[in-house]
Amino acid sequence: MGQGKDIVVIGAGNVATHLSQALHGAGHRILQVYSRTRESAQLLASRLGCPYATSLDAVRGDAQVYILCVKDSVLEEVARGLQGRIGDALVLHTAGSMPMEVLPYPRRGVLYPMQTFSRDRQVDFAEIPLFIESATDEPLLRELAQSISRHVYAMGSEQRKHLHVAAVLACNFVNHMYALSSDVLQEAGIPFEVMLPLIDETARKVHNLSPLQAQTGPAVRFDQNVMQAHEAMLPTDVREIYRLLSQSIHRKAQNE
Amino acid sequence: MGQGKDIVVIGAGNVATHLSQALHGAGHRILQVYSRTRESAQLLASRLGCPYATSLDAVRGDAQVYILCVKDSVLEEVARGLQGRIGDALVLHTAGSMPMEVLPYPRRGVLYPMQTFSRDRQVDFAEIPLFIESATDEPLLRELAQSISRHVYAMGSEQRKHLHVAAVLACNFVNHMYALSSDVLQEAGIPFEVMLPLIDETARKVHNLSPLQAQTGPAVRFDQNVMQAHEAMLPTDVREIYRLLSQSIHRKAQNE
């Protein structure tokens, strides 16, 4: 591992929190964190033992690396807001779905940690795949990434966009299925915990089988009696989801 | 554990295979297996070292327990087809979504293993939740269930129907999200393996957080730019799923 870097972290949400703690833990110096929201800035700064700023004008200009971990919808605005302050530092963002080019800086790159972060949940950063992109600074970016993760991959913006959609499907939509399942259980007075062995095995299976091979249940068997009975038990909006997904499962099985 | 029982298994699919092997391993005697399909009957019988039948007329009548592990859509027909042959044995089915009453026998019950079984994948049966129901033979059924699993719960048919819908959502639909994700990755030339750490963490998270608390991503943030860009990348049928699920995630987050 090379020398620790001087870093400013822009943002104090879930990604900013976990990433800056991992960098801090790997011996880098977090010089400052920024968040518009004082409470968030304060909380993260206190975890890292560093100062914080709540206005972009107060962001210091002498770091080697700036990492922008903000909502995609404000990324360009925040990136522009730092112009003129940053000298010739390397500027990174962490957004899976945004191209590197949204950063109006000569030295720029992307460090996309593909994981689902919740603020109060510990994650082992070493196991998180990091996808990096930089035309000007790939060696430095790779060194930084490898200091916190054992899984670093170079990937361009176009491919990363697809990766990000795939992640939404395999994580956010999966989690929403857990949420809908939890609602059905709650309605019937059954604790969500009984579902955990099935949830775990469903995830484990695709380590060895393709999702297509792993599929089971009424939709892939096209057991219409069961599907109709299920639909009848569900509220209207969930029924529509049930129907659409069952059709999609069935179609996929037939096309193989 | 009580004495081993004399058991006939009707069916030779995934559930029949895993359940009969677990029962065999726990010291019960599988006297015979039945499947309409000779190849399936033969394969399972050879795994268990027992005889098989391919016609209901050839099913022997002297077992203590008959376990019907057949598709829901043929369960009633198969159950009726055995009438007159079974004496006063206990007759069980393993279907989550079917009421106990589909079995036209005085001694009857349900043994529903809530898990996703694929024929060539080993599972640790001891960790699988078994849901049991019997008006006449609960002690015997409980003893049988506890001989193969550490997680046995009594549950009536009505509640079990809801449990089964919840299982379809948390398993089959989740697995379909993995399948759709895999398609997107394949299209972009990215191996599915990179998704596994995210899949695993998504499952692990709901051991400690509720699915609602665990949710992240563009839909819960209602980041319309990202969602629109994602939709544009997807084929029409998947786009419809993306839209419906994103709306559902957003609605759920707002209602809390």
Side-chain angles (χ1 to χ4, degrees):
Chain A
M1 192 181 117
Q3 275 192 301
K5 299 286 178 281
D6 292 335
I7 299 173
V8 165
V9 174
I10 305 294
N14 293 332
V15 175
T17 299
H18 287 283
L19 179 59
S20 58
Q21 287 180 322
L23 289 165
H24 179 65
H28 301 286
R29 292 168 297 278
I30 311 295
L31 302 186
Q32 189 185 35
V33 298
Y34 159 88
S35 169
R36 231 175 16 175
T37 317
R38 184 173 301 273
E39 203 189 337
S40 310
Q42 224 160 14
L43 179 64
L44 180 53
S46 76
R47 287 185 181 197
L48 298 166
C50 74
Y52 65 89
T54 58
S55 129
L56 288 177
D57 296 336
V59 169
R60 52 193 282 177
D62 59 345
Q64 296 166 285
V65 183
Y66 290 80
I67 309 182
L68 278 59
C69 315
V70 296
K71 267 178 71 167
D72 295 12
S73 53
V74 298
L75 178 56
E76 290 199 63
E77 183 194 326
V78 170
R80 277 197 305 270
L82 287 168
Q83 268 183 306
R85 310 193 55 75
I86 277 180
D88 73 335
L90 173 61
V91 183
L92 305 174
H93 78 65
T94 57
S97 61
M98 301 296 273
M100 181 170 68
E101 289 69 29
V102 297
L103 301 172
Y105 296 93
R107 294 178 58 204
R108 62 191 177 185
V110 177
L111 174 68
Y112 169 47
M114 193 176 68
Q115 192 48 278
T116 167
F117 297 106
S118 293
R119 199 173 306 206
D120 294 316
R121 182 173 164 78
Q122 288 301 320
V123 289
D124 180 2
F125 223 94
E127 295 308 322
I128 297 177
L130 298 184
F131 296 87
I132 59 168
E133 177 183 15
S134 177
T136 53
D137 288 86
E138 191 174 310
L140 168 55
L141 178 53
R142 182 177 291 274
E143 187 189 311
L144 193 67
Q146 286 179 341
S147 73
I148 53 174
S149 169
R150 298 193 289 129
H151 307 280
V152 176
Y153 308 90
M155 184 175 283
S157 292
E158 187 55 33
Q159 229 184 351
R160 191 178 57 247
K161 258 171 55 183
H162 288 88
L163 182 69
H164 190 244
V165 186
V168 166
L169 292 165
C171 168
N172 307 150
F173 286 7
V174 160
N175 184 72
H176 190 55
M177 293 301 141
Y178 300 156
L180 297 178
S181 177
S182 168
D183 288 349
V184 172
L185 292 171
Q186 196 176 359
E187 190 78 17
I190 304 168
F192 182 65
E193 282 68 42
V194 302
M195 204 52 68
L196 293 174
L198 181 58
I199 284 174
D200 291 345
E201 171 65 5
T202 304
R204 270 196 306 266
K205 262 179 124 172
V206 292
H207 284 248
N208 303 113
L209 302 175
S210 75
L212 206 63
Q213 293 170 317
Q215 192 57 285
T216 58
V220 73
R221 292 194 307 267
F222 207 62
D223 197 331
Q224 287 182 289
N225 290 333
V226 175
M227 292 190 285
Q228 274 161 22
H230 282 180
E231 287 178 19
M233 276 186 274
L234 295 168
T236 318
D237 54 335
V238 186
R239 185 180 309 151
E240 202 183 340
I241 292 171
Y242 187 98
R243 196 171 295 164
L244 200 60
L245 289 180
S246 292
Q247 285 165 358
S248 179
I249 289 171
H250 180 57
R251 204 162 43 232
K252 200 160 179 52
Q254 284 201 308
N255 287 345
E256 291 308 307
Chain B
M1 193 181 116
Q3 275 192 298
K5 299 286 178 280
D6 292 336
I7 299 172
V8 166
V9 174
I10 305 295
N14 293 333
V15 174
T17 299
H18 286 281
L19 179 59
S20 59
Q21 287 181 323
L23 289 165
H24 179 68
H28 301 286
R29 292 167 297 277
I30 311 295
L31 302 185
Q32 190 185 35
V33 297
Y34 159 87
S35 169
R36 235 176 12 177
T37 316
R38 183 173 302 274
E39 201 189 337
S40 309
Q42 225 161 13
L43 178 65
L44 180 53
S46 76
R47 287 185 181 197
L48 298 166
C50 74
Y52 65 89
T54 58
S55 128
L56 288 176
D57 295 336
V59 169
R60 53 193 283 177
D62 58 345
Q64 297 167 285
V65 183
Y66 291 79
I67 309 182
L68 280 59
C69 315
V70 296
K71 267 177 70 165
D72 295 11
S73 52
V74 298
L75 177 56
E76 289 200 64
E77 182 193 328
V78 170
R80 277 197 305 271
L82 288 167
Q83 268 182 307
R85 311 192 54 75
I86 277 181
D88 71 338
L90 173 61
V91 182
L92 306 174
H93 77 65
T94 56
S97 61
M98 301 295 274
M100 181 169 69
E101 288 69 28
V102 298
L103 301 171
Y105 297 92
R107 294 179 58 205
R108 62 191 177 186
V110 177
L111 174 67
Y112 169 47
M114 192 176 69
Q115 193 49 279
T116 168
F117 297 107
S118 293
R119 200 173 305 204
D120 294 316
R121 181 173 165 79
Q122 288 300 318
V123 288
D124 180 2
F125 223 94
E127 296 307 321
I128 296 177
L130 298 182
F131 296 87
I132 59 168
E133 176 183 17
S134 177
T136 54
D137 287 86
E138 190 173 313
L140 168 54
L141 178 52
R142 182 178 291 274
E143 186 188 312
L144 194 68
Q146 286 178 341
S147 73
I148 52 174
S149 169
R150 298 192 288 128
H151 306 280
V152 176
Y153 308 89
M155 183 175 285
S157 292
E158 187 55 33
Q159 229 185 349
R160 191 177 58 248
K161 258 171 54 184
H162 288 89
L163 182 69
H164 190 243
V165 187
V168 166
L169 292 165
C171 170
N172 307 150
F173 286 6
V174 160
N175 185 71
H176 190 54
M177 292 302 140
Y178 300 156
L180 298 178
S181 176
S182 168
D183 289 348
V184 172
L185 292 172
Q186 196 174 358
E187 191 78 18
I190 305 169
F192 182 64
E193 282 67 41
V194 302
M195 205 51 69
L196 294 174
L198 180 59
I199 284 174
D200 291 345
E201 171 66 6
T202 303
R204 269 196 307 267
K205 260 178 125 171
V206 293
H207 284 247
N208 303 112
L209 301 175
S210 76
L212 205 64
Q213 292 169 315
Q215 191 59 283
T216 57
V220 73
R221 293 195 306 265
F222 207 62
D223 197 330
Q224 287 182 291
N225 289 332
V226 175
M227 292 190 285
Q228 275 163 21
H230 283 179
E231 287 179 19
M233 277 187 274
L234 295 167
T236 317
D237 54 335
V238 186
R239 186 180 310 151
E240 202 183 339
I241 291 171
Y242 187 98
R243 196 171 295 162
L244 201 59
L245 290 179
S246 292
Q247 284 164 358
S248 179
I249 289 171
H250 180 56
R251 203 162 43 232
K252 201 161 177 53
Q254 283 201 308
N255 287 344
E256 289 310 307

